[in-house]
Amino acid sequence: MLAASSIQLSSNPIDIVENIFHSKSLEFERRNTNEVVAEVEGKWDNMLLFFAWEEHLRCLHISCLLNIDSAAADTKKIFELLALINEDLWLGHFSYWEEHKMPLFKHSVIIRPQEEGFEEKLNQVISIAVDECEHMYPVFKAVITQNLNPRQVLFADRMSLQ
């Protein structure tokens, strides 16, 4: 069993991700040795959290998929919105998954051997990813499904926070 406070050089952080999901009573699927996925209940809709471990880079990739089908949407507006949103993000970025026609939040974490406090760090990254997706879901939804202007929707969203 892995220690919760550190990662050993030979360990797989996907095991720690599984421990986090288990402790939060989230259903998850271990797709293979280096991938795990879980569905998270959101305020607007459920989100899919995906984790992939690249051992050679010592990098853990995290994606949070927003369940908004944009197959019929104006992709120019989606990419304009992505650029506007990403200008203000400090951690991670939003992207567009062309294959599934859906927006997603992405972030990667470089892991040092025997890193202390990794589980706490990972919990924080998960929380940030979910919070960013929750915050931006209505903005993406308005642009994608109502074909609204990205600047107007994002500006209206920012005004509501003040």
Side-chain angles (χ1 to χ4, degrees):
M1 183 111 210
L2 294 172
S5 62
S6 68
I7 293 180
Q8 302 303 314
L9 182 60
S10 62
S11 70
N12 185 335
I14 295 296
D15 297 332
I16 295 174
V17 173
E18 277 190 330
N19 288 341
I20 290 171
F21 289 161
H22 182 70
S23 72
K24 294 180 184 217
S25 299
L26 294 175
E27 289 188 34
F28 60 89
E29 177 187 348
R30 181 83 176 242
R31 292 188 170 171
N32 60 47
T33 304
N34 294 324
E35 294 180 0
V36 67
V37 65
E39 190 168 353
V40 177
E41 186 177 334
K43 177 179 177 182
W44 310 102
D45 201 345
N46 289 354
M47 296 171 277
L48 203 60
L49 282 171
F50 174 78
F51 293 79
W53 169 240
E54 173 52 59
E55 188 172 356
H56 296 5
L57 294 174
R58 308 255 350 126
C59 184
L60 183 64
H61 174 79
I62 302 150
S63 296
C64 188
L65 182 67
L66 296 169
N67 189 20
I68 305 171
D69 182 15
S70 62
D74 182 349
T75 54
K76 288 181 185 178
K77 287 185 177 180
I78 294 171
F79 286 108
E80 179 183 354
L81 179 59
L82 290 170
L84 292 169
I85 291 171
N86 287 333
E87 284 179 359
D88 291 335
L89 289 179
W90 282 63
L91 181 72
H93 67 279
F94 280 94
S95 186
Y96 183 70
W97 193 0
E98 182 65 36
E99 182 181 344
H100 292 279
K101 308 281 189 226
M102 291 183 178
L104 69 156
F105 180 85
K106 298 168 81 173
H107 182 64
S108 295
V109 178
I110 302 292
I111 300 170
R112 296 182 318 269
Q114 301 181 13
E115 180 172 338
E116 291 296 321
F118 177 72
E119 187 168 340
E120 294 82 23
K121 179 180 183 179
L122 189 53
N123 266 309
Q124 186 177 22
V125 170
I126 291 169
S127 178
I128 290 168
V130 170
D131 289 350
E132 288 292 344
C133 288
E134 287 280 41
H135 178 68
M136 287 299 155
Y137 185 93
V139 176
F140 276 107
K141 184 86 171 174
V143 170
I144 290 170
T145 63
Q146 299 171 32
N147 200 30
L148 297 177
N149 180 295
R151 288 184 186 277
Q152 290 176 336
V153 175
L154 192 57
F155 181 71
D157 180 64
R158 289 179 180 168
M159 290 301 291
S160 69
L161 295 175
Q162 297 177 356

